[in-house]
Amino acid sequence: MARLCSTPAEEAVRRVLNAERRTFGVKPALVMTRPLLRSARDWLRVCQEHGDSAHSFPGEVPWPDRLPGFGWRPEGMRWYAQTIWWYSGNVKPEDAVRWWVYVSTAGHREVVLDKRFREVGVAVGMNGTRLQVIANFASERSHRVPKCP
């Protein structure tokens, strides 16, 4: 099996997530984990196939129900959440975090700043002409992801 690594763009989003958490006194820092990274990338693929950005699609298994297929132990997950952002124009993946924390009124800020979350999986990619960022959060640590060289 090929080594699973986070990309520079995915790591940049994780770093900004942790910077914003520190700004508001939230600990611990989020750790990128294999199951959540794989699930975020899978959900990005689903969104790309639908040409849309959503937490669910008719006929698709919801993302939390897919987690065991990515090596997640269901008994280890007490809290989980997903944030999605997509935008056209001159933007960077890190802009998603700033939007979640400072602009959105749909609960994204609460997810990013929730101290129960200890791990994250981030996927970054294009969906048509829009940059899309997906972050899946969970409360338990497992399976750290190495950075790619």
Side-chain angles (χ1 to χ4, degrees):
M1 177 188 285
R3 183 175 155 195
L4 180 67
C5 303
S6 54
T7 68
E10 292 163 345
E11 279 299 318
V13 171
R14 185 188 64 81
R15 280 192 306 275
V16 175
L17 282 166
N18 283 329
E20 291 298 342
R21 288 165 65 92
R22 277 192 309 276
T23 296
F24 290 92
V26 178
K27 296 179 183 179
L30 296 167
V31 175
M32 189 91 75
T33 61
R34 282 183 179 89
L36 292 177
L37 175 61
R38 291 175 64 207
S39 73
R41 287 177 178 172
D42 176 65
W43 199 252
L44 174 64
R45 177 192 55 77
V46 170
C47 289
Q48 289 167 334
E49 288 174 359
H50 287 272
D52 201 354
S53 180
H55 296 288
S56 64
F57 293 100
E60 295 285 353
V61 176
W63 79 269
D65 296 339
R66 295 169 177 252
L67 285 171
F70 298 113
W72 194 261
R73 300 178 320 274
E75 69 277 3
M77 185 171 53
R78 291 178 183 82
W79 301 99
Y80 59 87
Q82 181 182 66
T83 57
I84 298 176
W85 177 84
W86 69 341
Y87 199 85
S88 295
N90 187 18
V91 293
K92 299 177 291 191
E94 305 94 280
D95 294 334
V97 179
R98 293 180 188 98
W99 185 85
W100 290 330
V101 174
Y102 297 106
V103 178
S104 173
T105 59
H108 297 98
R109 175 187 173 100
E110 291 79 4
V111 169
V112 170
L113 301 179
D114 192 323
K115 66 183 180 184
R116 293 174 294 189
F117 295 134
R118 298 176 178 272
E119 45 183 52
V120 69
V122 176
V124 176
M126 295 303 293
N127 191 340
T129 61
R130 296 176 176 176
L131 179 67
Q132 186 166 24
V133 179
I134 295 175
N136 290 347
F137 298 81
S139 61
E140 299 297 321
R141 290 185 183 220
S142 63
H143 313 297
R144 284 188 127 153
V145 177
K147 296 176 189 134
C148 293

